[in-house]
Amino acid sequence: MALTKEQIAQRIAKEVQDGYYVNLGIGIPTLVANFVRNDINVEFQSENGILGMGPFPFEGEEDPDLINAGKQTITALPGASFFDSATSFAMIRGQHVDLTILGAMEVTQNGDIANWKIPGKMVKGMGGAMDLVASAENIIVAMMHTNKAGASKLLKECSLPLTGVHCVKKVVTNLAVLTIENGSFKLLERAPGVSVEEIQMATEGDLIVEGTIPEMQF
Amino acid sequence: MITKTVANVEAACLGVKDHMTFMLGGFGLSGIPENCIAQLVHLNVQGVTCISNNAGVDNFGLGMLLQKHQIKKMISSYVGENAEFERQMLSGELEVELIPQGTLAQRCRAAQSGIPAFYTPAGYGTEVAEGKEAREFNGKMHIMEHAFKADFAFIKAWKGDTAGNLIFKGTARNFNPNMCGAATITVAEVEELVPAGDLDPNHIHIPGIFVQRIFQGSTYEKRIENLTVRKRA
């Protein structure tokens, strides 16, 4: 069975380690916060200017001066801090953030990523994504393996305008966990019940399969 | 003592003209200069360029200037919440320069601090890099970005004093401090204006030297764009 969006987030949460500062993008990445083990200490950064982001507020306690990068009302945890946008991107560009998790429309076997524009159809803007992918050492992309029409989103080359080049190292999809190494996707794990052949069929880019590929553990 | 106080939003926006370039603070609808935006709509200035991370929503924030077709060009990083914006952009009525959010912040910061240009890795290898100088530092490619030039910066703070010192609240801070002193005239609107001396100098986020005009906004709607709450257990 292909994973749900929640299960993708749950699998990615296993990559989050004690002491990490983590930036979560909009969409599936936001869900990762719900699955991080509670016996480790992690701080979430939102690029609009908070470190130590907490859960959504209780009804009636929402504050218009306290939102995340998705413009959702949030709370601040003990030890949180607020800062301006230039300082926020100093954290990001200066590689002080340990892990960046973001969504994508397309990724390639070279680590290129496209996630901000569909020419003539959808132009929302890149927000902080270009700064994040250009600077982060440790980027995980959370995405569906194929689009609604069934076409692969793991490609040899992006068809959409790029967000960054040679930057993605790990991809977690509804079908698989993959790394990007030496210009190829490398299959690490399968979603439970999904075969290597199904993953190969859904991957347009070059896919390296070495030995027996285990199923994901949650 | 140097006093930066002006009586009201009318005095604060004196000298605003057609075809000028404005910086406007805020992220989404959080920390936007509501009173100044309302005055720009009222003054009906035309053909302006706006530097702001977002463009408001259809009927609030900068979206109000868009609806009246007062904006010639927007320089932003993300415009996803505004259908009218997307329509004007795709139809070619509105000129749009989309730039990475960190680059937007740093171009403000550079203008504020007398740095004409800088290098950043953000956007290298993408259409953002087109026509820009690219250069390698420490084995990594960067592109050169320039400081903004603007006529007015309209910013919103939580508290301010008559000397123009500012304190921000929560994530309403965002681009506001970076835009102070980044334009020829910086106009700060605050929720609470107090006499100089009332704010603890240790708690000032932006010193008054970066602000030319300060006033207390008459009303703040502080609309929430995306209300998310959790149920009590």
Side-chain angles (χ1 to χ4, degrees):
Chain A
M1 273 288 283
L3 304 185
T4 62
K5 288 178 178 179
E6 283 73 18
Q7 287 171 315
I8 295 173
Q10 194 176 354
R11 173 60 191 83
I12 291 174
K14 284 182 65 184
E15 308 283 323
V16 179
Q17 294 179 22
D18 189 34
Y20 267 15
Y21 293 104
V22 183
N23 181 289
L24 300 177
I26 297 166
I28 301 172
T30 304
L31 302 172
V32 172
N34 300 334
F35 298 104
V36 173
R37 282 161 42 198
N38 54 16
D39 61 335
I40 61 173
N41 293 306
V42 173
E43 281 199 20
F44 292 104
Q45 196 247 23
S46 197
E47 64 267 23
N48 59 315
I50 177 173
L51 201 56
M53 176 170 50
F56 297 147
F58 289 119
E59 210 168 340
E61 290 179 4
E62 61 274 6
D63 178 354
D65 294 330
L66 191 42
I67 62 170
N68 64 16
K71 286 93 178 177
Q72 295 171 310
T73 45
I74 52 159
T75 54
L77 294 172
S81 56
F82 301 120
F83 36 84
D84 64 78
S85 299
T87 303
S88 180
F89 283 90
M91 293 174 192
I92 291 164
R93 233 187 277 103
Q95 301 185 334
H96 306 286
V97 174
D98 298 290
L99 175 62
T100 291
I101 302 167
L102 77 175
M105 299 171 186
E106 297 177 343
V107 292
T108 73
Q109 60 196 36
N110 290 320
D112 296 352
I113 175 170
N115 72 354
W116 72 283
K117 183 181 186 182
I118 303 172
K121 276 191 191 161
M122 186 284 287
V123 187
K124 293 192 183 302
M126 65 289 281
M130 282 194 183
D131 308 271
L132 283 157
V133 300
S135 294
E137 287 276 351
N138 195 1
I139 300 173
I140 299 175
V141 169
M143 64 192 295
M144 305 308 275
H145 212 100
T146 54
N147 64 22
K148 287 190 179 108
S152 182
K153 295 164 76 172
L154 279 65
L155 307 171
K156 291 187 197 301
E157 278 182 38
C158 286
S159 64
L160 296 171
L162 295 174
T163 305
V165 293
H166 308 310
C167 50
V168 178
K169 299 197 178 81
K170 195 164 218 173
V171 183
V172 179
T173 75
N174 53 330
L175 302 182
V177 179
L178 312 101
T179 50
I180 292 171
E181 288 174 36
N182 305 319
S184 295
F185 293 107
K186 185 174 178 186
L187 184 59
L188 296 189
E189 299 173 19
R190 303 174 285 122
V194 172
S195 69
V196 170
E197 290 69 31
E198 284 174 82
I199 295 164
Q200 273 167 331
M201 288 282 286
T203 308
E204 190 234 63
D206 297 334
L207 182 70
I208 295 174
V209 182
E210 284 177 2
T212 309
I213 306 299
E215 287 190 352
M216 290 179 205
Q217 303 292 316
F218 292 93
Chain B
M1 191 188 309
I2 298 174
T3 298
K4 302 291 174 70
T5 315
V6 292
N8 48 37
V9 71
E10 287 81 9
C13 293
L14 215 64
V16 162
K17 293 190 181 72
D18 293 351
H19 311 298
M20 278 186 161
T21 297
F22 302 146
M23 288 178 163
L24 298 107
F27 187 99
L29 300 178
S30 191
I32 60 171
E34 293 184 26
N35 290 266
C36 286
I37 291 171
Q39 179 66 5
L40 294 175
V41 172
H42 175 71
L43 290 171
N44 199 27
V45 283
Q46 296 292 318
V48 298
T49 297
C50 292
I51 300 166
S52 182
N53 189 56
N54 312 94
V57 294
D58 282 333
N59 58 1
F60 198 58
L62 279 180
M64 298 195 298
L65 269 79
L66 279 169
Q67 292 218 323
K68 287 184 65 192
H69 294 87
Q70 291 176 253
I71 301 177
K72 181 187 74 174
K73 181 178 180 182
M74 278 296 311
I75 302 175
S76 303
S77 88
Y78 191 83
V79 294
E81 284 82 9
N82 194 316
E84 175 63 12
F85 184 105
E86 206 161 349
R87 191 198 65 72
Q88 286 189 23
M89 176 168 58
L90 291 172
S91 71
E93 291 165 58
L94 179 70
E95 199 182 327
V96 178
E97 187 182 343
L98 287 169
I99 61 175
Q101 196 174 124
T103 298
L104 178 61
Q106 198 62 21
R107 289 177 70 184
C108 295
R109 181 99 176 79
Q112 178 190 55
S113 46
I115 304 282
F118 58 92
Y119 290 92
T120 175
Y124 175 75
T126 76
E127 62 183 56
V128 165
E130 285 169 17
K132 291 174 185 163
E133 183 193 320
R135 191 164 158 182
E136 186 183 319
F137 294 95
N138 305 319
K140 185 170 178 165
M141 292 306 292
H142 296 71
I143 56 175
M144 187 169 75
E145 296 282 2
H146 288 86
F148 283 125
K149 279 197 172 70
D151 299 294
F152 277 84
F154 296 105
I155 71 102
K156 154 76 175 32
W158 179 40
K159 286 182 183 176
D161 68 18
T162 50
N165 297 306
L166 303 175
I167 296 176
F168 301 89
K169 178 169 165 271
T171 55
R173 190 182 315 193
N174 56 65
F175 289 84
N176 285 299
N178 307 133
M179 290 177 173
C180 289
T184 307
I185 294 175
T186 297
V187 175
E189 57 170 89
V190 297
E191 289 177 54
E192 189 184 352
L193 183 63
V194 300
D198 278 16
L199 300 177
D200 182 342
N202 286 302
H203 295 164
I204 303 292
H205 292 135
I206 283 290
I209 192 169
F210 292 117
V211 175
Q212 278 68 48
R213 303 173 186 172
I214 188 167
F215 70 101
Q216 184 172 308
S218 56
T219 55
Y220 283 99
E221 181 182 336
K222 294 177 89 168
R223 194 185 292 185
I224 290 176
E225 194 167 332
N226 194 353
L227 177 66
T228 46
V229 294
R230 70 192 143 126
K231 291 262 176 270
R232 283 171 205 279

